[in-house]
Amino acid sequence: MKNLTGSNETDRNIFWLFLILLSIDLAFLGLHGLKEFIPRLDVSLFRLESDGGLAESFQYIKELAIIVFLLVIGRRRGGFAYLSWVTLFLYVLCDDLFMIHESAGLY
């Protein structure tokens, strides 16, 4: 597979970005689980099922970053295949933000 810049530095940066994002997700999982071990602790902001929580906001940021990365890669490589992926992740972001599948399921 051809590297975008031709350097291993890009691969290292992508690896570190992946590790950082994964670590943040694992931290949210850990904070969510604190409620089970410390019942008196109010961790509602960190709960995964809470609307408007930090985990949900972080998910929006990740989805938007995926869209931006795909647009940049698509522009560099000149392929239209990335546009279909952008469309998919744009729908996922809009669905999460505007709760499309929750409201559409009511009908």
Side-chain angles (χ1 to χ4, degrees):
M1 188 160 113
K2 184 179 176 185
N3 198 339
L4 292 178
T5 62
S7 72
N8 286 333
E9 184 178 345
T10 301
D11 291 340
R12 265 193 306 277
N13 291 340
I14 290 171
F15 177 74
W16 281 108
L17 178 64
F18 170 75
L19 280 181
I20 290 168
L21 293 176
L22 183 63
S23 299
I24 294 171
D25 279 338
L26 291 174
F28 278 123
L29 282 171
L31 290 169
H32 175 78
L34 277 180
K35 184 67 174 167
E36 297 299 319
F37 298 108
I38 309 171
R40 299 183 74 187
L41 184 66
D42 181 24
V43 291
S44 58
L45 193 60
F46 298 111
R47 297 191 65 141
L48 298 179
E49 70 270 1
S50 298
D51 284 335
L54 290 177
E56 184 179 21
S57 298
F58 182 62
Q59 184 65 27
Y60 297 154
I61 292 169
K62 287 190 304 185
E63 290 167 353
L64 185 60
I66 289 170
I67 293 168
V68 170
F69 289 152
L70 286 171
L71 285 171
V72 169
I73 292 170
R75 182 177 169 106
R76 286 185 182 177
R77 291 194 175 180
F80 287 104
Y82 292 99
L83 189 58
S84 61
W85 284 107
V86 168
T87 306
L88 173 70
F89 281 102
L90 188 62
Y91 172 76
V92 169
L93 177 62
C94 289
D95 181 44
D96 283 347
L97 274 172
F98 305 118
M99 295 186 254
I100 295 171
H101 69 271
E102 286 93 344
S103 59
L106 295 175
Y107 299 108

